[in-house]
Amino acid sequence: MAKELKDLTKRSDNYSQWYNDLVVKADLAEQSAVRGCMVIKPYGYAIWEKMQRQLDDMFKETGHVNAYFPLLIPKSYLSREAEHVEGFAKECAVVTHYRLKNAEDGSGVIVDPAAKLEEELIIRPTSETIIWSTYKNWIQSYRDLPILCNQWANVMRWEMRTRLFLRTAEFLWQEGHTAHATREEAEEEAQRMLNVYADFAENFMAMPVIKGVKSANERFAGALDTYTIEALMQDGKALQSGTSHFLGQNFAKAFDVQFVDKNNKLDYVWATSWGVSTRLMGALIMSHSDDNGLVLPPKLAPIQVVIIPIYKNMEQLAQIDEKVAGIVARLKTMGISVKYDNADNKRPGFKFADYELKGVPVRLVMGGRDLENNTVEVMRRDTLEKETISCDNIEQVVKDLLEEIQANIYKKAADFRASQIREVDSYDEFKEEIEKGGFILAHWDGTPETEEKIKEETKATIRCIPFDGDKTPGVCMVTGKPSQRRVLFARAY
Amino acid sequence: MAKELKDLTKRSDNYSQWYNDLVVKADLAEQSAVRGCMVIKPYGYAIWEKMQRQLDDMFKETGHVNAYFPLLIPKSYLSREAEHVEGFAKECAVVTHYRLKNAEDGSGVIVDPAAKLEEELIIRPTSETIIWSTYKNWIQSYRDLPILCNQWANVMRWEMRTRLFLRTAEFLWQEGHTAHATREEAEEEAQRMLNVYADFAENFMAMPVIKGVKSANERFAGALDTYTIEALMQDGKALQSGTSHFLGQNFAKAFDVQFVDKNNKLDYVWATSWGVSTRLMGALIMSHSDDNGLVLPPKLAPIQVVIIPIYKNMEQLAQIDEKVAGIVARLKTMGISVKYDNADNKRPGFKFADYELKGVPVRLVMGGRDLENNTVEVMRRDTLEKETISCDNIEQVVKDLLEEIQANIYKKAADFRASQIREVDSYDEFKEEIEKGGFILAHWDGTPETEEKIKEETKATIRCIPFDGDKTPGVCMVTGKPSQRRVLFARAY
């Protein structure tokens, strides 16, 4: 077995270390020289590109267009919306100067004190403020609405504790920012985009999610409501995977964006924003992967099928090369991305382990006997099951298998989650159960104070008030006060 | 005629104003609240996306992969390569703090002096330094080479005079960074990517370019050689449209990146970097557009065909809608992007002017008589010629027309450029001719001093020493010293 694999920590030994190992060893990302900022390596970026392409298509299908707004935000803009600045000021990178110069003592370059900015600029932690200052010029009348813009961008939040993909100072994301004539339209948009995220998570990432609304404590800084999709990782911790915010008229008021409505009356514009980030890479890894490495859903795998030859001599390799060329061509006609790895400087065992580590969904192996029999050995990454099949009609067999793997990965994650959701009625029981991980549905009195108390005492937070599920009222497990319905608790990333 | 069009300055009146007007009025981009930073509006971004997609495909076809490196670069890294820091230190945005706090006097948020970074961070003006500090960990042996990475990113150079797309403080670009085992391989790569850029410029942007190498004065800071493609704008000024750098071992030495070669000897790694940016948007606009607005090459037009109905009443509109639905479907089967604009709140004349302004290559108009006759009026944007054609087989007619427009736009630009290149032998003649604009081929003695003198006295620079063309030696027009061949001069953006 290849060295890389032997070094991968087992999940049962140390889940956190397993994750860190896997991200680095599977060539997804690594720490950079800049504190908290990561390098996304080519294989990791290829997965992100597949996510981007799919999400971008879904945004465009729902009527959105892309645009690009400045990286830097004037400090005063950030301050316009009171809650917003409160939420982001404590962790932002500040540009104060625009020039370096040679030190007079020859010791290198220093910041030129003469090149101090009149007003400091913040590297965007999110773009509501710069975008709404722009929308002010785009919107005069109801005829200019809705505006349905998205941007793909890098943002920066100066986090103190960082982990690759899950929490980094700089990360890549998309942020949608929409402007509407009515409250109803904006609320509908925020819901629509949450549904797009849930669709993407479930049908492409093969990751089941629970949709709901955040409690006041967990709301986006400046939003009236934050909708969320929450996923459950294999270690029983929750991961917030995408959020969509109904911003009301807060940013329109902060930037004085008014419009003339159909009745010729002035009103402030209604807003939403919504985003998912490279954090989804962390969610993808932790949802499906195992002690042998990544397990990727076929729809997001950069390489869906790898073909590896086993040969005694170069003459036999040449025969296999010829046979495989035909298989590759047939797989490609089905839109399957396939790599034939006939590199002669690595042994088959090394290749097997490496492609397992990288989560390639289907592996085909062809040896001398296969050549004679017109067969190939097929292994699926999700179950590691192998069988030998005929090369006839292989493109259809592989296509069907990829679909089956996609469905099976989802089912496995959904079954796991189902086993990890339970209802709890007393706070004592809650404290016991939360230690075991998973989602807990419990009654809560709706106050920030009770939520805060639970968080302090158990490290659990309200992940969301689910849209679906049991809506029977009850009494709060902590205070005994009335509760409208059970809400979803978990410890979270 | 619509208001927008009347307000567009004529090129002959003021070319520079025409450009500024057009960028804003065609909804491509606008100035933001942050000095020198632009907002790329949805229509402009849609063109950039088409450029990106095409270039990205071409990079991947030539074996490159995408990755992502940090936005921020430690100050000390920038200083490692002496020429590099000299070239970029004078115009860079410097991050000095990582937190804001509430002012004690309640006047708002201020930079928290307690949150000063130990080492200042620079927003990348280009990423050689952060990338080579990373490559150091990726490269041990010749088996790790070549590395062929590209990144799509935003970069920042604190330019004092900015113009939308042409020169902005923040801009979007791609930067390729490759590492090789030999000088020959690296030089070949730098040439290969210049050829990719030339192919893209000519066959997608319909913009003829001259390929060549930069003189020492115009070289990228830290490169041994900079290759360039130079285009000619309609006002006779040159625009550098893409560069590819052979970096030698400079960055490998600065970051101590050595590898064991096939003979088991240690050597420094050879490097290239290459990039094109949103500046190409400026080149595209200025190459083809006219006093009516944008002229876009079909291969990069977000909307290739617009269809506009002319109707007497809603009943007739319904009939046209039905007829057009079939045409739209047939165009789409040919991969043509088509928009049917039957919005009832704008008059046809407004629509005509608007789509002309936006450079949509083909316009189809269907009125009541067309409906009876199974015809449609077709107008091509490049020549503004109109004719009435049958709806039968219209998808093939339009497809052919789009190809013809693409070719015609290129030919027009190539003919113009041919008319603007001439040879000059005396410096007096040069001074006269340079006032008329265009490219001038003249002899130069090869020294930076003479180049500098010419630049000071005439504002002309050596755009490149062309790879092709007449290579007869001569004597320098300024000093009379020997000249190996004529080089290409122009005033430039």
Side-chain angles (χ1 to χ4, degrees):
Chain A
M1 199 178 265
K3 186 170 174 297
E4 281 80 1
L5 263 184
K6 273 198 289 186
D7 292 352
L8 189 62
T9 307
K10 282 192 165 32
R11 286 169 295 173
S12 53
D13 288 348
N14 185 339
Y15 190 83
S16 178
Q17 188 61 45
W18 165 82
Y19 174 80
N20 293 345
D21 279 6
L22 182 52
V23 170
V24 172
K25 286 178 197 297
D27 278 338
L28 301 176
E30 64 184 38
Q31 297 292 353
S32 78
V34 184
R35 209 195 61 79
C37 296
M38 65 181 159
V39 172
I40 307 179
K41 298 181 78 176
Y43 192 63
Y45 200 85
I47 300 171
W48 176 241
E49 275 184 299
K50 293 209 85 163
M51 290 187 174
Q52 277 190 305
R53 186 69 66 100
Q54 180 56 40
L55 284 165
D56 198 67
D57 286 349
M58 292 167 100
F59 298 156
K60 284 175 178 156
E61 274 164 27
T62 43
H64 301 85
V65 290
N66 288 326
Y68 188 77
F69 298 87
L71 170 72
L72 299 177
I73 298 177
K75 193 188 66 178
S76 59
Y77 279 40
L78 203 66
S79 318
R80 293 262 196 111
E81 213 287 330
E83 285 182 22
H84 192 70
V85 67
E86 195 61 34
F88 290 105
K90 282 171 199 143
E91 47 176 37
C92 62
V94 188
V95 177
T96 56
H97 292 74
Y98 58 84
R99 192 163 62 219
L100 300 175
K101 66 168 191 173
N102 291 315
E104 279 163 28
D105 63 3
S107 63
V109 288
I110 57 168
V111 177
D112 185 348
K116 192 171 189 307
L117 290 168
E118 276 183 47
E119 179 179 6
E120 295 90 352
L121 299 166
I122 311 304
I123 298 182
R124 61 183 163 218
T126 179
S127 300
E128 278 76 6
T129 57
I130 192 79
I131 289 180
W132 279 86
S133 78
T134 307
Y135 282 179
K136 180 172 170 59
N137 303 318
W138 294 6
I139 302 169
Q140 275 89 42
S141 133
Y142 70 92
R143 277 182 297 263
D144 302 318
L145 296 171
I147 293 178
L148 304 172
C149 278
N150 175 61
Q151 97 171 342
W152 291 94
N154 53 344
V155 288
M156 185 155 262
R157 297 176 188 178
W158 208 267
E159 303 277 358
M160 280 301 146
R161 287 188 195 173
T162 62
R163 289 190 72 190
L164 292 169
F165 291 125
L166 295 171
R167 198 172 290 276
T168 48
E170 182 189 14
F171 55 91
L172 304 184
W173 79 345
Q174 61 68 219
E175 45 183 327
H177 294 272
T178 69
H180 306 266
T182 66
R183 166 188 271 271
E184 292 67 34
E185 253 188 55
E187 284 186 326
E188 210 175 274
E189 165 78 5
Q191 295 267 2
R192 179 183 303 116
M193 298 323 289
L194 192 79
N195 286 329
V196 165
Y197 290 155
D199 178 7
F200 176 74
E202 304 205 323
N203 295 314
F204 291 85
M205 295 176 66
M207 181 176 80
V209 292
I210 293 175
K211 294 185 280 188
V213 61
K214 287 283 184 191
S215 62
N217 280 9
E218 300 280 328
R219 223 176 255 152
F220 176 76
L224 295 193
D225 260 324
T226 288
Y227 306 127
T228 181
I229 51 171
E230 298 285 328
L232 192 68
M233 303 296 101
Q234 292 177 47
D235 63 345
K237 284 172 79 175
L239 194 145
Q240 174 182 306
S241 304
T243 49
S244 179
H245 314 294
F246 169 59
L247 303 172
Q249 296 172 312
N250 285 352
F251 287 92
K253 284 178 180 164
F255 289 91
D256 191 31
V257 187
Q258 298 190 67
F259 74 106
V260 179
D261 72 13
K262 282 184 181 168
N263 304 318
N264 218 23
K265 279 175 57 180
L266 261 186
D267 194 8
Y268 287 103
V269 177
W270 297 86
T272 83
S273 66
W274 29 275
V276 295
S277 73
T278 36
R279 195 166 208 235
L280 286 182
M281 291 288 294
L284 184 73
I285 296 161
M286 287 203 294
S287 289
H288 309 303
S289 302
D290 63 25
D291 293 347
N292 293 330
L294 284 180
V295 174
L296 293 177
K299 285 187 187 173
L300 296 178
I303 304 166
Q304 294 176 308
V305 177
V306 65
I307 308 179
I308 297 169
I310 298 182
Y311 51 95
K312 289 190 191 124
N313 49 49
M314 297 313 278
E315 195 190 328
Q316 194 178 51
L317 176 60
Q319 291 173 326
I320 296 176
D321 283 353
E322 196 188 328
K323 179 81 178 175
V324 169
I327 294 175
V328 167
R330 279 152 61 201
L331 291 173
K332 284 190 176 167
T333 61
M334 303 295 267
I336 295 168
S337 71
V338 52
K339 176 176 176 176
Y340 176 44
D341 186 351
N342 62 351
D344 194 38
N345 58 355
K346 289 172 194 152
R347 285 172 307 105
F350 177 90
K351 292 179 188 175
F352 291 176
D354 193 42
Y355 292 109
E356 264 179 58
L357 182 63
K358 293 217 163 85
V360 175
V362 170
R363 181 183 83 199
L364 304 180
V365 177
M366 183 169 285
R369 188 170 296 173
D370 291 311
L371 205 53
E372 282 170 26
N373 298 343
N374 188 39
T375 58
V376 68
E377 183 198 85
V378 54
M379 189 193 79
R380 49 189 288 182
R381 176 63 185 86
D382 58 337
T383 61
L384 301 176
E385 287 164 353
K386 283 187 266 195
E387 71 179 305
T388 295
I389 61 168
S390 162
C391 290
D392 296 341
N393 201 29
I394 189 163
E395 63 273 29
Q396 190 60 50
V397 173
V398 169
K399 188 166 191 287
D400 293 345
L401 180 57
L402 288 169
E403 280 170 25
E404 197 184 316
I405 293 171
Q406 180 83 27
N408 181 55
I409 292 177
Y410 178 82
K411 186 177 180 304
K412 202 173 154 190
D415 288 349
F416 171 75
R417 191 189 68 181
S419 77
Q420 297 278 313
I421 304 190
R422 59 252 190 233
E423 296 188 355
V424 154
D425 288 313
S426 82
Y427 192 36
D428 282 344
E429 197 190 348
F430 182 87
K431 286 177 185 165
E432 236 179 80
E433 287 296 318
I434 202 73
E435 293 296 329
K436 300 175 191 163
F439 282 134
I440 297 181
L441 285 160
H443 281 291
W444 159 63
D445 63 16
T447 69
E449 294 73 26
T450 303
E451 185 179 2
E452 194 56 39
K453 177 185 159 78
I454 297 169
K455 187 178 176 182
E456 268 172 33
E457 293 175 354
T458 68
K459 293 183 196 145
T461 48
I462 298 176
R463 303 317 305 154
C464 70
I465 303 157
F467 291 144
D468 302 324
D470 183 10
K471 289 175 184 159
T472 319
V475 294
C476 174
M477 63 174 173
V478 180
T479 63
K481 289 182 189 161
S483 154
Q484 293 188 314
R485 58 155 299 161
R486 290 178 191 272
V487 300
L488 193 71
F489 286 92
R491 288 181 180 160
Y493 277 95
Chain B
M1 198 177 269
K3 184 169 177 295
E4 282 80 0
L5 262 184
K6 273 198 290 186
D7 292 352
L8 188 62
T9 306
K10 280 190 169 31
R11 286 169 295 172
S12 56
D13 288 348
N14 185 338
Y15 190 83
S16 176
Q17 189 60 46
W18 165 82
Y19 174 80
N20 294 344
D21 278 7
L22 182 52
V23 170
V24 172
K25 286 178 196 298
D27 278 338
L28 301 175
E30 65 184 38
Q31 297 293 354
S32 79
V34 184
R35 208 196 59 81
C37 296
M38 65 181 160
V39 172
I40 306 179
K41 299 181 77 174
Y43 191 63
Y45 200 85
I47 300 171
W48 175 241
E49 275 183 301
K50 293 208 85 164
M51 289 187 175
Q52 278 191 302
R53 187 68 67 100
Q54 180 56 39
L55 283 164
D56 198 66
D57 285 348
M58 293 168 100
F59 298 156
K60 284 174 177 156
E61 274 163 29
T62 43
H64 301 86
V65 290
N66 288 327
Y68 188 76
F69 298 87
L71 171 72
L72 299 177
I73 298 178
K75 193 189 66 179
S76 60
Y77 279 39
L78 203 65
S79 318
R80 293 263 196 111
E81 214 286 331
E83 286 182 22
H84 193 70
V85 67
E86 195 61 33
F88 290 106
K90 283 172 198 142
E91 46 177 37
C92 61
V94 188
V95 176
T96 57
H97 292 74
Y98 58 83
R99 193 164 62 220
L100 300 175
K101 66 167 193 174
N102 291 315
E104 279 163 28
D105 63 4
S107 62
V109 288
I110 58 168
V111 177
D112 184 346
K116 192 171 188 309
L117 290 169
E118 275 183 46
E119 179 179 6
E120 295 89 351
L121 298 167
I122 311 303
I123 298 181
R124 60 182 164 219
T126 179
S127 299
E128 277 77 7
T129 57
I130 192 79
I131 288 180
W132 278 87
S133 78
T134 307
Y135 281 179
K136 181 173 170 57
N137 303 319
W138 293 6
I139 301 169
Q140 275 88 44
S141 134
Y142 71 92
R143 279 183 295 263
D144 300 320
L145 297 172
I147 293 178
L148 303 172
C149 277
N150 175 63
Q151 98 170 341
W152 290 96
N154 53 344
V155 287
M156 185 155 262
R157 299 177 187 177
W158 208 268
E159 303 277 358
M160 281 302 146
R161 288 189 193 171
T162 62
R163 289 190 71 189
L164 292 168
F165 290 124
L166 295 172
R167 197 172 290 277
T168 48
E170 183 189 15
F171 56 92
L172 304 183
W173 80 343
Q174 60 68 218
E175 45 182 327
H177 294 272
T178 69
H180 306 266
T182 66
R183 167 190 271 270
E184 293 66 34
E185 253 189 53
E187 284 186 325
E188 211 174 273
E189 166 77 5
Q191 294 267 4
R192 179 184 303 116
M193 300 321 290
L194 191 78
N195 286 328
V196 165
Y197 290 155
D199 178 8
F200 176 74
E202 303 205 325
N203 296 313
F204 291 84
M205 295 176 68
M207 179 176 81
V209 292
I210 293 174
K211 294 186 281 189
V213 60
K214 287 283 185 190
S215 62
N217 280 9
E218 301 280 329
R219 223 176 254 153
F220 176 75
L224 296 194
D225 261 323
T226 288
Y227 307 127
T228 181
I229 51 171
E230 299 284 328
L232 192 69
M233 303 295 101
Q234 292 177 46
D235 63 346
K237 284 174 78 175
L239 194 145
Q240 175 182 306
S241 303
T243 49
S244 180
H245 315 294
F246 168 59
L247 302 172
Q249 295 173 312
N250 286 352
F251 287 92
K253 285 178 180 165
F255 289 90
D256 191 30
V257 188
Q258 298 190 67
F259 75 107
V260 179
D261 72 13
K262 282 184 181 168
N263 305 317
N264 218 26
K265 279 173 59 181
L266 262 186
D267 194 8
Y268 288 103
V269 177
W270 297 87
T272 83
S273 67
W274 29 274
V276 295
S277 73
T278 37
R279 194 165 210 236
L280 286 182
M281 292 286 296
L284 184 73
I285 296 161
M286 288 204 293
S287 290
H288 309 302
S289 302
D290 63 25
D291 293 347
N292 293 332
L294 283 181
V295 174
L296 293 177
K299 286 188 187 174
L300 297 177
I303 305 165
Q304 295 176 309
V305 177
V306 64
I307 308 178
I308 298 169
I310 298 183
Y311 50 94
K312 290 192 191 121
N313 50 49
M314 297 314 276
E315 194 189 331
Q316 194 177 48
L317 177 60
Q319 291 172 325
I320 295 176
D321 284 351
E322 197 188 330
K323 178 82 177 174
V324 168
I327 294 175
V328 167
R330 281 153 60 202
L331 291 173
K332 284 190 175 166
T333 61
M334 304 294 267
I336 296 167
S337 71
V338 53
K339 177 175 174 177
Y340 177 44
D341 186 351
N342 62 352
D344 196 38
N345 58 356
K346 290 170 193 153
R347 286 172 306 103
F350 177 89
K351 293 179 187 175
F352 292 175
D354 193 41
Y355 292 108
E356 263 179 58
L357 181 64
K358 294 218 161 83
V360 175
V362 170
R363 182 183 82 199
L364 304 179
V365 177
M366 183 170 284
R369 187 170 298 175
D370 291 310
L371 205 54
E372 282 171 26
N373 298 343
N374 187 39
T375 59
V376 68
E377 183 198 84
V378 53
M379 189 193 80
R380 52 189 287 184
R381 176 64 183 86
D382 58 336
T383 61
L384 301 175
E385 288 165 352
K386 284 187 264 195
E387 70 181 307
T388 295
I389 62 169
S390 161
C391 290
D392 296 339
N393 200 28
I394 189 163
E395 64 274 28
Q396 190 60 50
V397 173
V398 169
K399 188 165 191 288
D400 293 345
L401 180 58
L402 288 169
E403 280 169 26
E404 196 185 313
I405 293 171
Q406 181 83 27
N408 180 56
I409 292 177
Y410 178 82
K411 187 179 179 302
K412 202 172 155 191
D415 288 348
F416 171 74
R417 190 189 69 181
S419 76
Q420 298 278 314
I421 304 190
R422 60 251 189 235
E423 296 187 355
V424 154
D425 288 314
S426 82
Y427 193 35
D428 281 345
E429 198 190 348
F430 182 87
K431 286 177 183 164
E432 236 181 81
E433 286 296 317
I434 202 72
E435 294 297 328
K436 300 176 193 162
F439 281 134
I440 297 181
L441 285 160
H443 281 291
W444 160 63
D445 63 17
T447 68
E449 294 74 26
T450 304
E451 185 178 1
E452 194 56 39
K453 177 185 158 78
I454 297 169
K455 188 177 175 181
E456 269 172 32
E457 292 176 355
T458 68
K459 292 183 197 146
T461 48
I462 298 176
R463 303 316 306 153
C464 70
I465 304 158
F467 291 143
D468 302 325
D470 183 10
K471 287 175 184 159
T472 319
V475 294
C476 174
M477 65 173 171
V478 179
T479 62
K481 289 183 191 162
S483 154
Q484 292 187 313
R485 60 155 297 160
R486 289 177 192 274
V487 300
L488 193 71
F489 286 91
R491 288 180 180 161
Y493 278 95

